[in-house]
Amino acid sequence: MSTSFLIADEIRVRINSDLDIIAARQKGRELAKGRGFGPIDLAIIATAISELARNIVLYARSGEIILNATQSKDPPGILVVALDEGPGIADAAEAMQCGYSTSGGLGLGLPGVRRLMDEFEIVSKVGRGTTVTAMKWKR
Amino acid sequence: VKDTVDRLESLSEEYEAVLRDYLGGTGEAALERAYELGRRAVAERLGVLEMARLHHQAMLKAARSRRMPEACIRAITSAGKLFVESLTPFEMTHRGFGEANAALRISGARYRELFENANDIVFTVDLKGNFTSINRAGERLSGYDRNEVLSMNFSSFVAREHVEVAHFARQVKLSGEEESTRYELEMVTKDGRRVPLEVNTRLIYEELRPVGVQGIARDITERKQAEQALRGLNARFEDEARRIARALHDEAGQLLASVYLAVAEIASELPAPVRARLEVITVRLDQVAEQLRHLSHELRPVMLDDFGLVPALEFLAQGVSKRTGLAVAIDASPLGTLPPPIETALYRILQESLTNVSKHAQAGHVRVRLYQDTRTIACSIGDDGIGFDLPAVCTNRGNAGLGLLGIRERLAPLGGTLSIVTAPGRGTTLDIRIPLKNSRRSDTGRWPRSPLEQTTHAAPNYSR
């Protein structure tokens, strides 16, 4: 996913605890609302941030959520990046399968984020951490 | 996207109308309309969040038209947002369900293709034997179309005398004795032809309880024809061997005897020094006679025709003992009359085995046991020799002699089996079983041929 079209003022939120998840959701919602996203998309972006931040707290203890908006306004997009330096995932493709996640096959977690957002990418290495990038375009 | 917005728009207006009516007191009729609206929304692939949004907006409109206080409208707005948040996990699950369904459709279609395009008959039956599915190969080979098969029972698909075999196979599986069964039977096609099939079946379970049987049936017509041809060839070979053996034993033997007498007559009339030279010839004639007898016996033991199997085997054993010093004991329980092809096969197999033992086993003793029940004749040939590494010999194809391979080839057309028990330093025992058929029916419908028997006995490319 190319990031060249992003504006420079990205928002970074450290994630160490559940309280930080609330802050990240708040920032993401404000950013998207400012770009004219509707209430459903706002809920979707907030949910994606929740799931990604939850994973950081659960598996990596700490990490970062980076939020950004596309420069182009046709259509506007919101980018959510989750970064951590945790244990990583041996088989990212398998982790994306329904039923693998801790959500017990209900389709939540990472597969859920992929379904809610328009674009999704995961890069992970065992011992080197995980980076998830997800984009939502305005409808 | 425009389309979705339009559809959303029209649904939204309708929902507002329904809500208005319902709040106005139309009761169940409005509820029913709401339900139908929900169905349409699902069909148009609207999500959970979109539905929540629809409701929320309709709710706000209704509140405004009723001139509710501002605080009340603010509360409804906030509550709507909260409601949407709480529904987003459901939206994820909802979408996941849609994806899983699509994946299932694709894998289902692939499975269907595999099932339909198989060359073998693939079928399922319930526990009563009623067909629950069959593929195209099943239609093609049986001549019945799918709907006809699905109203039939397995037993009406099968030759009457083979129904029992299928029945027995099912019992074996249900009792847990075998996980899968493999047997042969004949199918009767719609136009009355018989087709020999090899059937592999296993149970279908639902929640750990058996609910049916799935099977794959292969048309083995060609194999049956090949076996029939091999049987015919063997029989013709035996006839020919018998004829030549008789000729060697009787005619050539007689001729030789007359030459012998003529020479003796001439000798008696000649002076002693010349007679000594003729005696060299009579010694040579003795050797020729011995060779002829031996050859005749190798071709076809006249004993077999004249005295029966056990005396012939004993005679064979004595011959081997005399030539090689191997002690051979034959232990036979009383045998009924056996079909000539089986007698010949057993004779040849013992001949082959004793040759094997004397060549390779470094054994002192061989014990041959022969016994018979109503269904089979069994023969075991055990030696106290050096044994061998069975798997190693099985894989060593370059070194394949004709010994054990020949035994298997003799057994194949009779439906017999060979199993070998051996290990280095432990001697070798061959166990031979040949099924007996007292009726003239074909040899399909044979039982048992369990998978276990197949794997332990099948080592065709192996010989010592």
Side-chain angles (χ1 to χ4, degrees), chain B residues 3-242:
Chain B
D3 210 29
T4 317
V5 173
D6 283 351
R7 284 206 307 271
L8 201 57
E9 196 81 14
S10 96
L11 277 172
S12 160
E13 276 167 20
E14 228 179 296
Y15 193 89
E16 278 163 27
V18 178
L19 184 62
R20 208 165 40 236
D21 290 355
Y22 186 61
L23 294 179
T26 48
E28 192 62 39
L31 291 179
E32 197 269 343
R33 268 168 71 201
Y35 174 76
E36 288 304 326
L37 191 140
R39 291 204 66 181
R40 255 174 57 210
V42 168
E44 293 188 6
R45 306 200 178 280
L46 246 59
V48 178
L49 296 184
E50 279 151 332
M51 273 319 276
R53 179 100 188 114
L54 223 62
H55 171 75
H56 182 57
Q57 277 171 342
M59 207 38 214
L60 274 178
K61 275 202 176 166
R64 288 204 181 98
S65 71
R66 285 171 178 245
R67 298 183 202 293
M68 286 191 181
E70 197 53 37
C72 195
I73 289 172
R74 267 206 306 277
I76 290 172
T77 308
S78 300
K81 277 187 193 158
L82 194 77
F83 186 50
V84 164
E85 279 309 317
S86 72
L87 286 180
T88 40
F90 287 87
E91 176 71 13
M92 284 196 274
T93 298
H94 177 71
R95 291 189 190 187
F97 175 69
E99 265 183 29
N101 252 349
L104 215 59
R105 259 200 307 279
I106 292 168
S107 78
R110 275 199 202 122
Y111 158 77
R112 193 92 212 146
E113 216 167 289
L114 200 68
F115 169 79
E116 288 296 1
N117 293 336
N119 273 325
D120 294 338
I121 302 176
V122 185
F123 66 91
T124 55
V125 294
D126 64 19
L127 287 181
K128 287 180 186 144
N130 297 317
F131 278 100
T132 47
S133 74
I134 191 149
N135 66 345
R136 272 203 289 272
E139 294 182 292
R140 194 178 61 237
L141 283 166
S142 70
Y144 292 106
D145 74 33
R146 189 157 309 197
N147 290 330
E148 289 174 305
V149 174
L150 292 182
S151 64
M152 286 169 72
N153 190 280
F154 192 73
S155 56
S156 49
F157 211 68
V158 166
R160 186 165 300 161
E161 70 270 25
H162 295 160
V163 170
E164 191 67 21
V165 177
H167 225 77
F168 184 49
R170 187 166 59 218
Q171 290 309 317
V172 166
K173 288 190 292 274
L174 282 174
S175 70
E177 214 174 299
E178 298 279 356
E179 205 174 312
S180 67
T181 53
R182 174 164 158 182
Y183 54 92
E184 292 177 9
L185 49 68
E186 281 181 350
M187 167 178 74
V188 181
T189 64
K190 193 178 183 182
D191 54 14
R193 282 177 304 114
R194 285 176 165 236
V195 179
L197 298 177
E198 182 183 272
V199 186
N200 277 283
T201 53
R202 54 173 56 241
L203 291 175
I204 306 169
Y205 291 91
E206 255 167 38
E207 286 164 7
L208 300 173
R209 280 212 338 266
V211 293
V213 175
Q214 59 177 357
I216 297 177
R218 170 165 296 181
D219 178 359
I220 52 168
T221 306
E222 282 178 22
R223 198 181 84 199
K224 286 282 148 201
Q225 282 166 352
E227 280 177 15
Q228 183 71 39
L230 190 59
R231 256 197 303 272
L233 273 176
N234 265 343
R236 265 175 44 205
F237 165 75
E238 286 297 335
D239 281 351
E240 195 69 357
R242 188 185 320 215

Side-chain angles (χ1 to χ4, degrees), chain A residues 3-10 31 35 68-73:
Chain A
T3 49
S4 62
F5 49 80
L6 296 174
I7 52 171
D9 50 345
E10 56 179 31
L31 182 65
R35 305 278 143 174
N68 219 327
T70 55
Q71 198 160 23
S72 152
K73 293 199 164 50

Side-chain angles (χ1 to χ4, degrees), chain B residues 347-418:
Chain B
Y347 186 89
R348 295 286 180 220
I349 286 167
L350 184 62
Q351 200 172 25
E352 200 73 70
S353 307
L354 291 179
T355 307
N356 258 354
V357 171
S358 60
K359 270 199 214 154
H360 306 287
Q362 300 172 34
H365 299 81
V366 175
R367 188 179 182 93
V368 180
R369 282 200 179 86
L370 207 61
Y371 47 94
Q372 179 188 356
D373 62 30
T374 51
R375 283 161 175 259
T376 40
I377 175 139
C379 174
S380 81
I381 304 165
D383 69 55
D384 59 353
I386 54 173
F388 59 96
D389 183 359
L390 189 58
V393 170
C394 284
T395 50
N396 185 7
R397 293 178 186 187
N399 194 24
L402 290 171
L404 291 169
L405 188 61
I407 294 178
R408 279 184 204 283
E409 281 175 354
R410 287 203 174 276
L411 287 170
L414 300 170
T417 56
L418 167 66

Side-chain angles (χ1 to χ4, degrees), chain A residues 26-49:
Chain A
Q26 182 71 34
K27 293 268 164 58
R29 199 188 293 271
E30 278 165 11
L31 182 65
K33 199 171 183 179
R35 305 278 143 174
F37 280 68
I40 290 181
D41 285 345
L42 293 187
I44 283 175
I45 289 164
T47 301
I49 293 170

Side-chain angles (χ1 to χ4, degrees), chain B residues 259-287:
Chain B
V259 173
Y260 191 85
L261 285 175
V263 171
E265 209 179 300
I266 297 169
S268 66
E269 293 167 8
L270 292 176
V274 191
R275 197 159 54 215
R277 284 171 64 196
L278 269 182
E279 260 160 29
V280 177
I281 293 180
T282 55
V283 169
R284 285 274 183 272
L285 281 175
D286 279 341
Q287 285 170 347

